[in-house]
Amino acid sequence: MTRTIWAAVAAVALLGSGQAAAFQQPADTAADASSADAAPAAKKLPDGTTPEERANTARLNAAQSTQAQAETTTYEQEVSAAKQQVEHDQTVFAEETAAYEAEKARVAAMSAEERLKWEADAAACKAGDTTRCAAPVTPPR
């Protein structure tokens, strides 16, 4: 019983939306057949299309294919450019990081050298070598 109800509801929905016409046999099939004989250009092919419809479909397919190929080419170029930009950015980052690390090492070495000199001067001053002592600081007036 529920199948019958669902089938009836579906049929009413199709009728209401105008889609049921696709399931109905045209009333004037005999008239179509006689007009198809009269106009060979409008003769329907086995799949129900006309040569004109096929030509239009082929033209539209070709246009869509051309547009899709152009979009694909553009996309591939954008991807390539983005990849090159990422590689460039990574190279620049690596160079800047190397320069920073080199400067950091230079400053650390310079600080270590100055600290060793200061420690040697302080030890010599404590040992009695006054030439290596720091100058006394005079307080500001």
Side-chain angles (χ1 to χ4, degrees):
M1 168 109 175
T2 55
R3 259 191 222 179
T4 307
I5 294 172
W6 282 110
V9 169
V12 169
L14 287 173
L15 285 173
S17 67
Q19 294 180 7
F23 296 109
Q24 296 175 353
Q25 185 72 5
D28 55 355
T29 53
D32 285 343
S34 65
S35 66
D37 292 337
K43 186 174 181 181
K44 293 201 175 205
L45 299 170
D47 65 351
T49 62
T50 64
E52 181 183 1
E53 290 172 332
R54 283 195 173 187
N56 286 338
T57 300
R59 182 182 49 79
L60 292 172
N61 285 346
Q64 187 175 16
S65 176
T66 302
Q67 181 181 359
Q69 287 173 353
E71 289 174 358
T72 299
T73 301
T74 301
Y75 173 76
E76 288 171 351
Q77 289 171 348
E78 290 172 354
V79 167
S80 176
K83 189 181 289 186
Q84 289 174 356
Q85 183 65 41
V86 166
E87 290 171 359
H88 175 265
D89 292 347
Q90 288 176 344
T91 302
V92 168
F93 176 76
E95 290 171 355
E96 290 175 352
T97 301
Y100 169 77
E101 292 296 331
E103 179 65 11
K104 193 167 83 170
R106 186 190 69 78
V107 169
M110 185 178 70
S111 295
E113 183 182 322
E114 289 177 1
R115 181 173 180 86
L116 288 175
K117 183 182 177 301
W118 173 79
E119 287 176 351
D121 287 345
C125 183
K126 286 182 183 177
D129 185 2
T130 56
T131 60
R132 294 186 65 185
C133 293
V137 177
T138 57
R141 290 187 187 194

